[in-house]
Amino acid sequence: MKLDLWKVFTVALGALIMPLAGWVWSVNVEVAQLRNDVGDLERQAANLEEQVEEQEEATRTLIRVESDLKHVRDILSRIEDMVTR
């Protein structure tokens, strides 16, 4: 009788533990995948930040060039006025 109870207890315990072990395994795999995805996203965000900084520097350079061109046009306009007088 005692052996039969032990067998029933063992089967019941196995019926509970095995699905839980499978669930823990699958959740662990999903967590590892999410960590990997987060790492990829962090690298992409860093790359995008670098690109934004490069674009901002290019924009500042372009603004300076436009300002220089305006200054050169003003000087050329004054020279043209002096020559045509």
Side-chain angles (χ1 to χ4, degrees):
M1 182 74 169
K2 210 174 194 180
L3 187 60
D4 290 336
L5 287 175
W6 180 252
K7 287 181 182 178
V8 169
F9 176 73
T10 304
V11 169
L13 194 60
L16 290 174
I17 298 238
M18 293 308 281
L20 286 176
W23 177 78
V24 167
W25 180 272
S26 66
V27 168
N28 191 27
V29 169
E30 289 177 18
V31 167
Q33 289 173 343
L34 288 174
R35 286 182 179 164
N36 190 25
D37 292 345
V38 167
D40 291 343
L41 290 174
E42 287 174 345
R43 281 190 293 277
Q44 287 178 355
N47 288 339
L48 288 174
E49 288 173 356
E50 289 175 12
Q51 289 176 357
V52 165
E53 183 60 37
E54 290 172 0
Q55 294 299 324
E56 287 176 350
E57 181 61 32
T59 301
R60 288 189 291 268
T61 301
L62 182 60
I63 290 170
R64 281 187 239 122
V65 168
E66 287 177 343
S67 175
D68 291 346
L69 283 174
K70 184 179 182 296
H71 183 66
V72 168
R73 285 185 184 128
D74 291 342
I75 291 172
L76 287 175
S77 176
R78 281 187 262 153
I79 291 173
E80 184 181 3
D81 288 344
M82 288 174 23
V83 169
T84 58
R85 286 186 182 178

